[in-house]
Amino acid sequence: MVDIVEVKTKKQQREFLDFPLDMYKDNPYFVPPLYGDEKKIFSKNYVYNDTCEHVYFNAYRDGKMVGRISGILQKSSNEIRNEKRVRFTRFDSIDDQEVASALFKAVEDWARSKGMDTVCGPLGFSDLEREGLLIEGFDQLSTFEEQYNAEYYGRLIENCGYAKEVDWLESKIYRPVEPDESFAKMSDFIMKRYNLRFGEAKNVNDFINRYGDDFFKLLDEGYSHLYGTVPFTKGMKDMMIANFKLVIDLKYVGVILDEQGKLVALGLCFPSMSKAIQKSRGHLTPAALVRLLKAIKRPTILDLGLICVSHEYMNRGVGSVITAELYRMLQDDRIEYAETNLNLEDNHAIQNQWKRFKAVNHKRRRSYVKKLED
């Protein structure tokens, strides 16, 4: 028999947070989130509390924890899209259909109690969180931005009545075998044609002061049509800035301005933190901090964080300038490759950008959906 318990106590919270860490402790591809950041989901002042309701469930059998799941009522997303949805996230389970079915029933019952008619996911509070279920690429190292899961998760979810809604593709991007001057030539042509220039900054704080406001406006504009995105709140902005300060290196940032100094495009890469935090279960121990600082200063892998072009310049080839900047970054002999992270499979513009590189599509993720019966 499976017992489903809504997470209320500190002990239950620790069990919720620790379950995937224990489950994947010997898995070489699993990368934990930062434990301190993940704990904040239970805080009364959590950044998403103003736009979301959320619930957490643990599953036990004979007193032993065997699974977990969370449900999120993302009010902003529902209002924008005129939907009545609850998102599921942080689903982890042993390979047991009874456990999975009980967990999903708990979320679905909670969704009905809130007047909702659909459950979808895995999706977090926003697209700043980990999203999508891994369905291909189980032998590939996760990026820090991703959640790893075992291959059987898809079967468990589909057996609960869920079907594919969207897929994301992920690729490793290598520099072309032979030097390609066409990247720089195309970039120079586009920049001169539209009187664009690269933005500069002395340091990370200067970058945030100069471009912070326009940065978030551009992201809201450029990402508004994408699956599962929500507008940035002040709390989300502050959280993102704090995270940027920890890992960003301006040599892996490209900012493009128009004649008036308005931000029209950006591309951000982050040094991969995956291997640096694997051993510490996501805790920032002194040893983990040393590994993290080393990874930031001397990266061998880059994670593509954000690429965005304003609607005004979307069809003017400005994306080629961002592509040229990535090509420049990959010329560093220390860099083995860049990880694209999640690109929607029908986002043909971004998929076409990678065709100019040596690209290997190595992962696929999926978001599922289920219409609830009355």
Side-chain angles (χ1 to χ4, degrees):
M1 180 177 176
V2 177
D3 296 313
I4 303 298
V5 178
E6 183 177 347
V7 175
K8 296 288 188 181
T9 69
K10 293 292 184 181
K11 179 176 182 292
Q12 291 165 350
Q13 291 174 4
R14 286 195 301 273
E15 289 175 329
F16 184 93
L17 296 173
D18 289 345
F19 182 73
L21 305 182
D22 296 335
M23 188 174 178
Y24 292 104
K25 64 180 180 180
D26 297 321
N27 188 297
Y29 310 114
F30 172 78
V31 176
L34 290 179
Y35 198 87
D37 286 347
E38 193 70 354
K39 279 180 64 176
K40 294 175 183 177
I41 62 176
F42 297 116
S43 171
K44 293 181 179 179
N45 299 317
Y46 190 44
V47 67
Y48 291 105
N49 285 351
D50 56 344
T51 59
C52 300
E53 295 181 46
H54 38 100
V55 68
Y56 305 91
F57 296 106
N58 289 344
Y60 302 90
R61 178 182 283 144
D62 299 327
K64 180 181 178 181
M65 188 166 171
V66 290
R68 69 169 194 167
I69 200 170
S70 172
I72 298 172
L73 175 51
Q74 200 354 311
K75 299 175 184 177
S76 293
S77 178
N78 282 348
E79 182 177 347
I80 292 169
R81 296 173 174 87
N82 192 29
E83 295 174 335
K84 293 183 178 181
R85 290 189 168 205
V86 155
R87 303 174 173 197
F88 76 84
T89 184
R90 294 171 172 82
F91 166 68
D92 288 289
S93 172
I94 63 171
D95 188 3
D96 188 303
Q97 192 62 54
E98 183 185 17
V99 174
S101 296
L103 285 167
F104 276 95
K105 182 180 184 301
V107 168
E108 291 164 13
D109 287 346
W110 182 76
R112 290 188 186 94
S113 75
K114 297 296 179 180
M116 302 295 107
D117 60 18
T118 304
V119 175
C120 63
L123 289 172
F125 292 92
S126 76
D127 59 314
L128 297 181
E129 286 209 311
R130 299 176 173 198
E131 56 189 354
L133 189 85
L134 187 68
I135 60 170
E136 293 177 9
F138 302 100
D139 60 348
Q140 298 293 319
L141 178 68
S142 288
T143 65
F144 173 71
E145 296 83 3
E146 302 171 340
Q147 181 63 41
Y148 184 84
N149 59 263
E151 188 171 358
Y152 62 80
Y153 278 35
R155 167 171 45 81
L156 296 180
I157 293 172
E158 290 168 12
N159 286 344
C160 290
Y162 289 79
K164 170 186 172 179
E165 184 162 44
V166 299
D167 277 7
W168 292 270
L169 302 178
E170 303 173 46
S171 299
K172 289 181 179 179
I173 306 298
Y174 299 86
R175 71 175 69 90
V177 176
E178 298 294 332
D180 190 343
E181 296 181 0
S182 67
F183 284 97
K185 289 180 180 178
M186 178 59 72
S187 176
D188 289 344
F189 174 78
I190 296 295
M191 295 289 281
K192 291 176 180 177
R193 180 175 184 180
Y194 297 111
N195 295 314
L196 304 175
R197 59 186 174 87
F198 288 106
E200 298 179 350
K202 298 176 183 177
N203 50 50
V204 174
N205 285 330
D206 185 37
F207 174 86
I208 293 169
N209 290 333
R210 287 182 186 229
Y211 309 117
D213 290 341
D214 288 343
F215 174 90
F216 290 109
K217 288 179 183 176
L218 181 62
L219 290 181
D220 273 339
E221 174 193 336
Y223 287 4
S224 61
H225 66 292
L226 296 181
Y227 179 81
T229 58
V230 293
F232 282 91
T233 63
K234 183 180 184 305
M236 290 169 63
K237 293 175 183 177
D238 292 343
M239 178 179 67
M240 194 171 184
I241 288 172
N243 291 339
F244 275 7
K245 286 183 177 180
L246 177 67
V247 300
I248 203 167
D249 186 327
L250 292 184
K251 66 183 176 182
Y252 302 123
V253 176
V255 173
I256 302 173
L257 312 175
D258 66 10
E259 284 184 286
Q260 287 73 43
K262 178 184 176 183
L263 185 63
V264 298
L266 62 90
L268 301 179
C269 292
F270 305 102
S272 172
M273 299 190 294
S274 296
K275 295 180 180 179
I277 63 174
Q278 271 186 317
K279 295 180 181 179
S280 65
R281 291 165 58 98
H283 293 274
L284 287 180
T285 62
L289 282 171
V290 170
R291 292 194 298 269
L292 186 59
L293 290 173
K294 181 179 179 181
I296 293 171
K297 291 184 178 297
R298 295 188 294 276
T300 58
I301 301 170
L302 295 179
D303 290 350
L304 273 65
L306 298 167
I307 295 178
C308 190
V309 180
S310 71
H311 291 326
E312 181 182 357
Y313 286 87
M314 183 66 71
N315 297 317
R316 299 185 182 184
V318 175
S320 298
V321 181
I322 299 297
T323 304
E325 285 298 287
L326 176 59
Y327 178 79
R328 174 186 62 79
M329 297 173 193
L330 288 173
Q331 298 314 296
D332 185 336
D333 289 335
R334 292 180 304 183
I335 304 300
E336 297 175 18
Y337 60 87
E339 283 255 14
T340 66
N341 281 306
L342 281 69
N343 299 151
L344 284 166
E345 63 179 346
D346 61 356
N347 188 343
H348 302 298
I350 195 72
Q351 300 293 345
N352 287 335
Q353 287 193 41
W354 310 140
K355 291 181 179 179
R356 299 189 62 193
F357 296 88
K358 178 186 174 184
V360 178
N361 179 220
H362 65 310
K363 297 177 195 170
R364 178 183 289 265
R365 292 182 180 273
R366 178 163 296 170
S367 181
Y368 291 88
V369 65
K370 178 181 179 178
K371 192 76 172 177
L372 301 181
E373 298 179 357
D374 295 334

